[in-house]
Amino acid sequence: MDIQIKPSLQISDQGTLFDPETGDTFTLNESGLILIKMLYEGKDPETIFLSLSQSFNLTRELFDRIVIDFKSMLKSFNLLINE
Amino acid sequence: MSKKKITIAISGLNNTDNPGPGIPVIRGLREAASFEAKIIGLAYENLEPGAYLHDLVDHTYLIPYPSQGVERMLNRIRSIHQKEGIDVLIPNFDAELLPLIKSADLLKTEGIQTFLPTMEQYEERMKSNLPQFGEKYNVLVPKSFPVSSPADLTRVCRELEAPFMIKGKFYDAYLAHNPEEALGYYYKISAKWGLPVIVQQYVRGTEVNVVALGDGKGQTIGAVPMKKQYITDKGKAWGGIAIADPFLLQLTDQIISQTRWRGGMELELVKTSGGRYFLIEINPRIPAWVYLAVGAGQNLPEALVHLALDQPVEPFKEFKVGTMFIRYSIDMIVDVTAHQRFTLQGEL
C-alpha cells in the first residue's frame, strides 16, 4: 500500500505532528509515532511490518487493517500528498 | 554608533478585548533594529490603555474624533507636531483612515509622512464593494450586499441562505441565524457605525488571516499568514499560529501586485473543508495581531516607517512558521491624578 505523507510535516520525538501549512497539531501514541516516522522516511509496508511485529506482537492481518485505518485517518486530516 | 531617532505618532491605543493595532505596532517599533523610536500616542478617549503604558508610549495626546470635524482633528495633529516634531504618522483606527488618506499630501508638506493606501485602493476593497473587488481580481468572495433599510435587509435575507454575517462598515460582525436576528443586529450596528450595514453569506470553515505590507509599486515587502486558534465572542483571534500556506502567500502577492497596494493590510479569509478560500474582508491597515509577524521575523511596522520616509526596504524572504501568539489582559494600576491630568490637559 502506497502512503505518501506530506514532506512538510514536522514530527517530534515526543509524539506530536505539526502541519505548517494549516497550523494543525496532532498527538500520536507510541505505535502511531513509530508508524508515521517510518512512513515519513519512505519505508515500505513490508519493512514497517517486520519492525512493528517484533515490538507489538502483530499479525500481518491486524497490521494491514491498522495501516488501512491509519491511512484513512491521515487522509481525512489532509496529511497525505493529494492522490 | 547611536541609532537614528524617529518620532512616530500612533493611534489605536485602545488595547481592550477588541484591541486597536496601536500597541502591537509600537511593540514592533520598539524592537526596530534600524532606528530608535520616540512614540507619540494619539488617543480619542481618556481611558485608552495605551496612554498609560509609559514604557511603550513616550507622550500621549487626546485628539478629537474625525466625526467632530476633519479640520479640527488636523489642527490638533498640527499643534502636537509643533511640540513634538512628528516624522511619521501611523493611523490605526478605521474611521480616521479616509480623512487621513485625503490629507496625506497636506500633512507631507508640513513634514509629517504617512504610508497609506490610495483613495482608489481604500474604496474598492470596502466591505460594500467586496463582490466587485472579487470579480475584478479573480478572488472568491461570499455573496454580500450593502443594505440601508430594514426592507432592504429582509429582501437580501430572502436571497441568501441562512445563516448570515451582519457587518458594520468599519467594525463589528455578528452571526445571524434568521432574518429576525439579522434585523436586531442591523439596528445595533447602524446605531453605532451608520449605514450601510453589510449582509454577507456565512461561510463555514477555518478562519485564516494574512498581515502584509505592500510598497505601492506592486511588490510585497512582507506577509505572514495566521490561523486563528482561539476566537473571542467578538470574532477576534485571542491565539493564533503563523502558517506556511502557499495559497495564502500567493493570493497576497497577487492582490498586492494587481492593486499596487500601498501600506499595511490584513486579508481575512475562510478556508472551507473542501479547501476553497473565501475572502471575507480586507482591512486597509495593520491588524492588532501584527506582533505575531514581528515575533516570526518580519518587523512590518519598522519596514512601514522606512517606506513612509521614502527609504529603501528589502522584502522579507521568510518567517518562522509555527510561531504562536496568545493574547492576555492585565490590570494596570493608574494614579487618578494621571487620569485627571490627561482628561483636563489633553496630554500625558
Side-chain angles (χ1 to χ4, degrees):
Chain A
M1 181 185 296
D2 188 28
I3 303 178
Q4 288 192 303
I5 293 176
K6 279 188 193 170
S8 57
L9 296 183
Q10 296 169 10
I11 303 160
S12 81
D13 289 339
Q14 288 74 41
T16 60
L17 175 66
F18 174 63
D19 182 349
E21 286 183 20
T22 61
D24 292 335
T25 299
F26 304 88
T27 54
L28 299 152
N29 61 16
E30 189 189 351
S31 51
L33 179 61
I34 295 170
L35 185 52
I36 205 148
K37 273 189 163 179
M38 294 181 102
L39 289 169
Y40 190 76
E41 288 162 7
K43 300 258 168 56
D44 61 84
E46 198 53 46
T47 312
I48 297 173
F49 171 66
L50 287 174
S51 172
L52 285 179
S53 60
Q54 288 164 11
S55 315
F56 294 97
N57 194 24
L58 282 177
T59 62
R60 180 70 205 212
E61 192 190 356
L62 181 58
F63 171 76
D64 286 343
R65 215 165 58 224
I66 288 170
V67 171
I68 289 169
D69 285 350
F70 199 60
K71 182 182 180 185
S72 144
M73 193 159 60
L74 293 175
K75 192 174 179 185
S76 72
F77 290 135
N78 293 315
L79 298 173
L80 301 180
I81 292 174
N82 289 338
E83 292 167 329
Chain B
M1 203 171 86
S2 65
K3 288 191 279 185
K4 183 178 163 51
K5 278 194 181 169
I6 300 177
T7 302
I8 306 162
I10 293 181
S11 63
L13 306 182
N14 52 325
N15 213 41
T16 59
D17 64 335
N18 182 9
I23 294 301
V25 167
I26 292 168
R27 291 181 72 200
L29 296 175
R30 286 283 181 223
E31 291 179 22
S34 55
F35 57 78
E36 188 183 329
K38 179 183 175 190
I39 303 294
I40 305 302
L42 305 176
Y44 290 97
E45 299 285 346
N46 58 11
L47 280 175
E48 289 187 25
Y52 303 90
L53 287 165
H54 301 302
D55 51 338
L56 290 172
V57 185
D58 293 300
H59 207 155
T60 303
Y61 293 86
L62 275 173
I63 60 170
Y65 277 105
S67 57
Q68 292 173 271
V70 175
E71 200 49 42
R72 210 173 145 198
M73 184 179 81
L74 290 177
N75 283 339
R76 179 65 173 147
I77 292 173
R78 281 189 191 104
S79 74
I80 298 166
H81 180 46
Q82 277 172 5
K83 276 193 193 172
E84 304 284 358
I86 299 168
D87 296 307
V88 177
L89 168 64
I90 306 178
N92 292 300
F93 183 57
D94 286 14
E96 72 193 358
L97 285 176
L98 192 56
L100 288 174
I101 288 170
K102 286 180 180 169
S103 314
D105 288 342
L106 184 65
L107 290 169
K108 192 175 183 175
T109 61
E110 297 176 22
I112 303 174
Q113 312 296 325
T114 55
F115 199 72
L116 299 169
T118 63
M119 194 68 177
E120 189 194 353
Q121 290 167 349
Y122 178 88
E123 280 179 349
E124 73 174 358
R125 60 82 245 168
M126 282 173 76
K127 287 178 204 175
S128 48
N129 297 334
L130 204 59
Q132 292 81 358
F133 183 95
E135 215 166 284
K136 184 174 172 185
Y137 297 110
N138 199 23
V139 182
L140 210 51
V141 168
K143 278 186 189 171
S144 57
F145 302 92
V147 297
S148 297
S149 69
D152 266 359
L153 178 83
T154 310
R155 181 182 50 77
V156 165
C157 285
R158 256 189 252 121
E159 286 175 27
L160 298 174
E161 203 177 305
F164 329 100
M165 290 305 295
I166 312 298
K167 299 181 163 189
K169 58 181 174 179
F170 292 129
Y171 289 110
D172 282 348
Y174 297 97
L175 179 65
H177 295 88
N178 52 55
E180 292 72 31
E181 207 179 350
L183 187 61
Y185 291 134
Y186 167 87
Y187 284 123
K188 187 172 178 172
I189 290 171
S190 58
K192 196 168 173 187
W193 299 111
L195 295 169
V197 166
I198 289 85
V199 184
Q200 192 174 70
Q201 179 66 62
Y202 175 71
V203 181
R204 199 174 299 282
T206 304
E207 291 188 42
V208 284
N209 292 3
V210 184
V211 55
L213 177 63
D215 71 352
K217 296 170 190 160
Q219 184 174 224
T220 305
I221 296 297
V224 176
M226 178 271 289
K227 177 190 161 188
K228 292 185 183 179
Q229 289 182 304
Y230 191 158
I231 302 175
T232 69
D233 57 352
K234 290 197 170 83
K236 305 293 164 188
W238 198 261
I241 184 164
I243 56 173
D245 187 321
F247 178 83
L248 290 177
L249 290 168
Q250 178 264 320
L251 179 71
T252 307
D253 279 343
Q254 177 198 324
I255 290 175
I256 287 181
S257 135
Q258 287 180 330
T259 60
R260 301 174 79 80
W261 188 266
R262 189 172 187 274
M265 71 172 351
E266 180 191 29
L267 302 176
E268 293 189 22
L269 298 107
V270 172
K271 182 183 179 184
T272 66
S273 56
R276 297 172 87 199
Y277 293 78
F278 284 86
L279 179 68
I280 54 170
E281 225 166 287
I282 298 179
N283 289 314
R285 53 162 174 76
I286 291 176
W289 57 273
V290 67
Y291 193 69
L292 175 71
V294 179
Q298 295 196 4
N299 195 331
L300 300 180
E302 180 183 8
L304 186 141
V305 167
H306 286 298
L307 290 170
L309 293 170
D310 211 14
Q311 294 166 350
V313 178
E314 274 298 306
F316 291 99
K317 299 266 190 300
E318 56 187 18
F319 61 92
K320 192 165 176 266
V321 177
T323 307
M324 291 170 61
F325 79 90
I326 303 166
R327 202 164 268 170
Y328 73 106
S329 60
I330 191 166
D331 300 331
M332 264 190 293
I333 300 302
V334 176
D335 192 308
V336 70
T337 56
H339 178 245
Q340 289 163 347
R341 198 165 66 243
F342 191 37
T343 307
L344 292 172
Q345 296 170 5
E347 57 184 90
L348 190 63

